[in-house]
Amino acid sequence: MSFGPPPSIYTQSARAADTARKRRRTKLLAALAVVVAFALGGGGWFLASGDDSEPTGARRTVAQSPDDIRETTERVPASPEGRLMVEHDEENLPKANDAKPRYAPGTWATDKVMVKGVANRLEGYNIALDATEKAWSLKLDGHICATSRHVTADGRTAVVIQPPRPKGSEKDGVCDQVVFFDLDTGKKLWQKKMPAAGTAFVTNTNLTLTKGVVAVAWGSGSVAYDMRSGKQLWNSTLGSECEDKAFAGGRALLSLLSCGSPPDVTFRVQRLDPRTGEPQWTYKVSDGVQAVYVPSSDPPVLAVAAGDSAVTDLISLDSQGKHRATIALNGYEAQCGERYFGLSLFGEYENCDGLVVGRTQAFVSSKENIATGQPSNWIVAFDLGTGKTAGKFDGRELQRVHPLRMSGDDLLIYRRGAGTVAPAAVVRWNPRADKETPLLFFTLPEDEDGKLSDPEQSDILFQQGRIFFGRRELVADDKYPTYGVLMALAVGSAGLKH
């Protein structure tokens, strides 16, 4: 599979892109000023959204070691005013159409940098207002094949890459190198070649992280490495009736196994000991299921497509892999496997953009509602023990809402803006008290809003008072092919309450 050519050196066309970027930045800053005046000076709108008190459960924090997977609890800022922190354009895109974009998989953030994967490199952008834009750049030994949303508590993560090989050779397109790196510094900590990975490609390679372990699966094999040393801990190869299709990481390590041959494929999910790969329990998914995604390892939750390609149900399991509840998703959109126009690229089995799983509840987006005078969509909380609804968060007319992640026991939600009518926002929702607390108000460039706000097209992260948007596919503008294309944008709050 072609990823498009790597970027070339800085040229005169990039200077034209700088002019366009400055123009867009001026418009964005002016819009942010309007948002602040509207949200803070508008009298009741901001106050009606919530206050700066800490809802019960919002400060639920977990003491973490450096190798733990990061779980951040957000604080209420001193001001919800949004300020532009990062704006980065990708330059020198080939004159091509949507059928051949430059892929930019992977977006991460720490308190210091926003990091973006693009083509065959990783780039870190400073998020301090008085700093130069680029913090670091790490050229990889090939294009990125798989990424993980998981980051360690001390800011490390991994990618799988595809080393270049002669066209038509036996290993052309094989993704068999793992790179573990530091997000703050861009330092490569180690790089390892995956064993017997001749059938690992961008379409079937899945990467995850759990405490102290980096794990990769590609259908006909899998491997796990120690984070600190890069030492191989265990691996499996083709030979049984079931294949390691993917792993789900975070607090635990689950393996998704595909058994049998089409059309009679069945699925199993196993909890593994991360250090040995030994199964601790196995759950057999019912026959007839077409696809299985694993959005959460602990608590274990499966998103299954029963008789269709779209997710139809959630299945929650207990700590021993026993069935707890089945949640029918009629009228809801978990948005699993819907990135890249439904193509299976860069690892997809942990990624459900319309679904967030907490300790006791799952939060799922509804389908879009086009009725006038009603919310564009809403998010419903389901109890993982009973499967029953446990709360509802409404969007607004023309303002869809998307679940981002948990912050302690509360849910972080992105609410889209509505042009000059209302700003975009990140809010924290306490489903137990049904209380909404605003964290950030901002606006996005009008011509980029649709793409940045769509979780199928862009990564949307919230970390330590800042929201980050990272485009996944980049295509030159037909009218202005020499201009850069906005790839990364971040907005931060004016201040955090300490």
Side-chain angles (χ1 to χ4, degrees):
M1 172 159 194
S2 173
F3 292 84
S8 59
I9 60 173
Y10 194 84
T11 63
Q12 182 65 36
S13 65
R15 296 190 179 96
D18 284 343
T19 301
R21 178 166 51 194
K22 290 175 183 176
R23 193 179 302 121
R24 184 176 63 222
R25 184 182 181 90
T26 301
K27 289 171 64 180
L28 176 58
L29 290 173
L32 282 171
V34 173
V35 167
V36 174
F38 177 65
L40 298 179
W45 186 85
F46 169 72
L47 294 175
S49 300
D51 57 39
D52 64 356
S53 61
E54 296 286 350
T56 302
R59 286 191 176 274
R60 176 174 181 166
T61 57
V62 179
Q64 293 194 291
S65 68
D67 283 349
D68 282 328
I69 302 306
R70 182 179 66 190
E71 297 184 40
T72 307
T73 300
E74 297 292 333
R75 296 174 292 176
V76 178
S79 168
E81 173 189 345
R83 296 192 299 182
L84 182 65
M85 307 295 284
V86 173
E87 183 194 21
H88 182 82
D89 289 3
E90 175 73 351
E91 315 285 3
N92 305 305
L93 290 167
K95 295 180 181 180
N97 55 34
D98 290 347
K100 192 179 180 181
R102 179 175 294 167
Y103 289 109
T107 306
W108 307 270
T110 71
D111 61 338
K112 298 181 180 66
V113 296
M114 175 183 185
V115 179
K116 194 78 191 74
V118 56
N120 64 343
R121 71 189 193 279
L122 298 160
E123 291 190 344
Y125 312 118
N126 282 309
I127 51 181
L129 289 174
D130 58 349
T132 56
E133 177 186 304
K134 195 174 292 187
W136 55 263
S137 183
L138 174 62
K139 187 174 181 181
L140 302 169
D141 297 331
H143 285 88
I144 298 170
C145 282
T147 67
S148 172
R149 70 174 188 265
H150 297 302
V151 173
T152 64
D154 65 352
R156 295 165 294 149
T157 192
V159 294
V160 176
I161 62 171
Q162 176 194 91
R165 296 180 174 95
K167 290 290 183 182
S169 67
E170 184 179 345
K171 290 194 173 183
D172 181 21
V174 170
C175 303
D176 61 358
Q177 301 274 330
V178 186
V179 178
F180 193 59
F181 65 100
D182 186 288
L183 289 166
D184 283 331
T185 65
K187 180 181 179 182
K188 184 192 297 184
L189 302 175
W190 50 260
Q191 180 170 337
K192 299 294 180 179
K193 183 176 181 180
M194 293 146 51
T199 57
F201 300 102
V202 68
T203 52
N204 65 351
T205 302
N206 291 271
L207 165 74
T208 198
L209 280 68
T210 190
K211 182 176 181 177
V213 174
V214 178
V216 190
W218 57 92
S220 59
S222 63
V223 64
Y225 298 96
D226 177 76
M227 276 184 183
R228 291 286 174 179
S229 64
K231 178 183 177 182
Q232 181 179 312
L233 297 173
W234 50 268
N235 74 295
S236 67
T237 56
L238 184 65
S240 68
E241 62 167 328
C242 296
E243 301 178 353
D244 285 320
K245 200 170 187 67
F247 293 123
R251 299 188 197 113
L253 183 63
L254 298 187
S255 172
L256 172 63
L257 298 133
S258 172
C259 308
S261 303
D264 300 317
V265 175
T266 60
F267 297 95
R268 299 175 191 171
V269 174
Q270 293 182 330
R271 178 163 177 160
L272 305 181
D273 181 320
R275 308 298 298 185
T276 67
E278 291 298 317
Q280 296 174 332
W281 52 252
T282 300
Y283 175 81
K284 187 178 183 301
V285 180
S286 298
D287 294 347
V289 167
Q290 303 300 308
V292 177
Y293 301 88
V294 190
S296 175
S297 65
D298 182 11
V301 174
L302 317 180
V304 302
D308 198 349
S309 59
V311 169
T312 55
D313 302 272
L314 298 182
I315 298 173
S316 64
L317 308 178
D318 66 16
S319 60
Q320 300 302 312
K322 304 297 183 183
H323 178 272
R324 295 181 69 195
T326 297
I327 301 167
L329 295 186
N330 298 326
Y332 298 94
E333 289 185 326
Q335 293 181 283
C336 305
E338 295 186 10
R339 299 178 179 180
Y340 305 103
F341 299 96
L343 298 175
S344 181
L345 303 177
F346 307 110
E348 63 173 346
Y349 288 96
E350 284 188 284
N351 300 322
C352 294
D353 295 310
L355 166 67
V356 168
V357 178
R359 294 278 186 177
T360 61
Q361 296 174 326
F363 302 86
V364 193
S365 297
S366 75
K367 293 183 178 180
E368 186 173 10
N369 177 30
I370 60 174
T372 303
Q374 297 182 17
S376 291
N377 77 327
W378 46 88
I379 296 170
V380 172
F382 292 94
D383 185 281
L384 293 176
T386 65
K388 296 180 179 179
T389 57
K392 179 185 177 188
F393 184 94
D394 282 327
R396 298 174 177 173
E397 187 175 13
L398 304 179
Q399 290 187 269
R400 296 190 67 177
V401 287
H402 305 283
L404 295 180
R405 65 169 175 85
M406 300 304 295
S407 175
D409 291 326
D410 295 345
L411 178 69
L412 299 182
I413 296 171
Y414 171 54
R415 182 166 58 218
R416 293 192 188 189
T420 58
V421 177
V426 176
V427 300
R428 191 180 65 193
W429 179 45
N430 178 343
R432 300 162 302 284
D434 192 22
K435 184 176 183 180
E436 171 188 345
T437 304
L439 301 182
L440 192 62
F441 292 114
F442 59 98
T443 189
L444 294 172
E446 183 178 356
D447 55 344
E448 302 284 353
D449 192 353
K451 294 176 182 176
L452 293 176
S453 294
D454 182 358
E456 291 184 20
Q457 300 186 63
S458 297
D459 297 319
I460 307 174
L461 317 176
F462 192 82
Q463 185 67 25
Q464 292 175 296
R466 305 174 178 107
I467 189 166
F468 302 87
F469 298 88
R471 294 274 303 279
R472 299 192 191 104
E473 297 184 46
L474 307 168
V475 179
D477 188 282
D478 290 337
K479 293 180 64 176
Y480 305 102
T482 61
Y483 282 19
V485 171
L486 182 63
M487 177 175 70
L489 187 143
V491 177
S493 64
L496 290 173
K497 185 169 69 177
H498 298 287

